Each structure stands twice: as C-alpha cells, then as structure tokens.
Amino acid sequence: MDNTLFIHASPHGKHALGYRLAEKVLAAERLKNHSMRLIERDLLAAPLSPLTHRYAAALVSHNIGERPDAALIESEQLISELERTDRLLIAMPMHNFSVPAALKLWIDHVVRINRTFIASAEGKQGLLQDRPTTVLVSAGGMLQGDNPQPNFLTPYLTLILNTLGIQDIHFVYLQGLAFGEPAIANAWRHAQAALIEAGVLSHEVP
Ligand SMILES: Cc1cc2nc3c(=O)[nH]c(=O)nc-3n(C[C@H](O)[C@H](O)[C@H](O)COP(=O)(O)O)c2cc1C
C-alpha cells in the first residue's frame, strides 16, 4: 500500500491556510513516492450524516466479523478509507479549544466498539494498523509559547487516534492567525520549520 488519507475540516475549504500547508505536504510526499494514491475527504464540502437512533443502536449491537447493519454503511465507508491507507494527514482549525464539529462527527462514525477497537480489562485496544499521521492545526490564538490558551484538541485527538491503534502522530500548529499579516507569515514559517524537523518537508516552500 502507498495510500494517503487526507481529511480536512475548515469552513474556509481550500482557502484555509491549513489546507494550503497540507497541499505542500502532499506535494512533498508525491515527490518521495511517485506511486502515492490519495483519498481526500472534505468534511465541510461533503458533510457526514448526523448520528441517528438506528446508528446508536447498531453501534453497540455489532460484533466482530458480523455483516454490518444498514445504519452503519456510512461508518463502514469511512473506516474502509482508513483501512485502505497507510498514511494520514488531517488539517483543521481549532474551534472553541477543541476539534471542529465536522471532525467530531467523523470521529463518532469511525471509533466503533468491536469494529475499530475492543474494550478489555487493560482498556481500549485499537484494531487499525499504526501509520505516520500528521495533524495540521490552525488557530486564531496561540497554542504554544509564553501565554498559550487551553488546548483540549491535542490531548483529545491523540487519545482518539490511539484508541483506533494509531500512535505515530505529529502535531504542527499554525497559530496566532488572528493577529494580522506578519503573524500569519510567522506562523507559516514556524509550521514549515516544524514539518522540516519532523522530516515531512525537506525545505521551506513559498
Ligand atoms: C466557531 C469558531 C471557534 C473558534 N475557536 C477558536 C479557539 O478556541 N481558539 C483559537 O485560537 N481560535 C479559534 N477560532 C479561530 C480559528 O481557529 C482561526 O480563525 C483559524 O485560523 C481558522 O483556520 P482555517 O483557516 O483553517 O479555517 C475559532 C473560529 C471559529 C469559527
């Protein structure tokens, strides 16, 4: 497999700075892996269905290996995207100190007992294979430095991905975007430096 799943969840769509940085990451990935195939999921342009009573009931009655209930079809499609890919790239804004609602809905469709994780006496164990995962987080305020705001996004998303079985996670922040052009340029540079340090980008790009 040489497939990347790219999930993005910004109301600004392709104009979001996080989306533009993700494009640079994907371009660098294509240079390294000419055979790379991309599955792209835009959670704002193609919103997922809200959770229904049937979904909640099917979620807890599903057992490993069973044919899934019709209410789980969309969930199955999203899980299959994860199963068919061996790299994950997520770009999203921070909304109210945590993940945006569109990404939370994706989480509620893919984190499924007896499908993507099992519960045991030792805790939850993920059933998906680990894969290199880059998470690009855009924020109006600061997340690092002298006076960072509360950040529930990073620990929450880390726990969610760990629950699925994904441990190899790298967060990169585009922060301070509400403070005007110089701050945005600074955030762009810092995020690229973090990606270069992580070996995701090889050099700075405009
Ligand atoms: C509903 C909403 C909630 C937000 N909450 C936060 C927040 O808690 N912390 C923060 O730093 N920025 C917050 N922002 C600002 C966005 O994170 C910021 O505008 C970011 O640059 C948007 O990134 P994007 O261009 O990728 O959508 C919020 C924006 C919206 C629309």
Side-chain angles (χ1 to χ4, degrees):
M1 254 199 307
D2 211 351
N3 303 336
T4 297
L5 175 60
F6 171 35
I7 297 171
H8 49 104
S10 167
H12 300 116
K14 299 190 174 185
H15 300 289
L17 204 61
Y19 184 90
R20 284 166 40 208
L21 188 57
E23 282 186 313
K24 307 287 180 199
V25 169
L26 291 171
E29 200 54 55
R30 274 195 200 94
L31 279 180
K32 279 188 262 175
N33 302 302
H34 294 288
S35 58
M36 181 194 103
R37 276 179 296 169
L38 182 69
I39 299 178
E40 184 170 342
R41 187 158 277 278
D42 182 340
L43 295 174
L44 272 290
L48 303 178
S49 311
L51 305 182
T52 59
H53 168 69
R54 277 192 63 198
Y55 176 80
L59 187 76
V60 287
S61 59
H62 180 83
N63 283 309
I64 291 175
E66 277 180 7
R67 192 189 164 91
D69 185 279
L72 298 175
I73 285 174
E74 193 173 9
S75 161
E76 283 296 323
Q77 191 187 343
L78 297 170
I79 293 168
S80 141
E81 288 176 358
L82 279 165
E83 288 174 332
R84 282 184 286 135
T85 47
D86 44 17
R87 249 173 270 104
L88 179 58
L89 175 63
I90 303 176
M92 70 178 146
M94 170 179 271
H95 279 174
N96 294 312
F97 311 114
S98 188
V99 300
L103 191 87
K104 176 59 170 59
L105 189 53
W106 177 83
I107 289 169
D108 290 338
H109 278 281
V110 300
V111 182
R112 272 177 47 201
I113 190 156
N114 293 334
R115 179 64 180 87
T116 50
F117 76 92
I118 49 170
S120 71
E122 291 79 46
K124 292 176 175 171
Q125 287 172 23
L127 298 177
L128 298 184
Q129 64 160 27
D130 195 9
R131 76 279 312 274
T133 294
T134 304
V135 184
L136 307 176
V137 181
S138 305
M142 297 305 286
L143 296 166
Q144 294 167 313
D146 290 341
N147 195 15
Q149 64 188 303
N151 174 6
F152 296 96
L153 186 156
T154 305
Y156 172 67
L157 191 60
T158 301
L159 183 60
I160 286 295
L161 293 170
N162 290 170
T163 301
L164 293 170
I166 299 172
Q167 314 287 340
D168 182 1
I169 310 163
H170 200 89
F171 282 86
V172 171
Y173 304 105
L174 281 159
Q175 53 186 330
L177 301 182
F179 302 131
E181 281 307 322
I184 293 172
N186 201 29
W188 183 253
R189 268 197 313 275
H190 271 91
Q192 289 208 26
L195 287 165
I196 291 167
E197 200 183 319
V200 176
L201 291 182
S202 57
H203 59 280
E204 211 171 299
V205 282

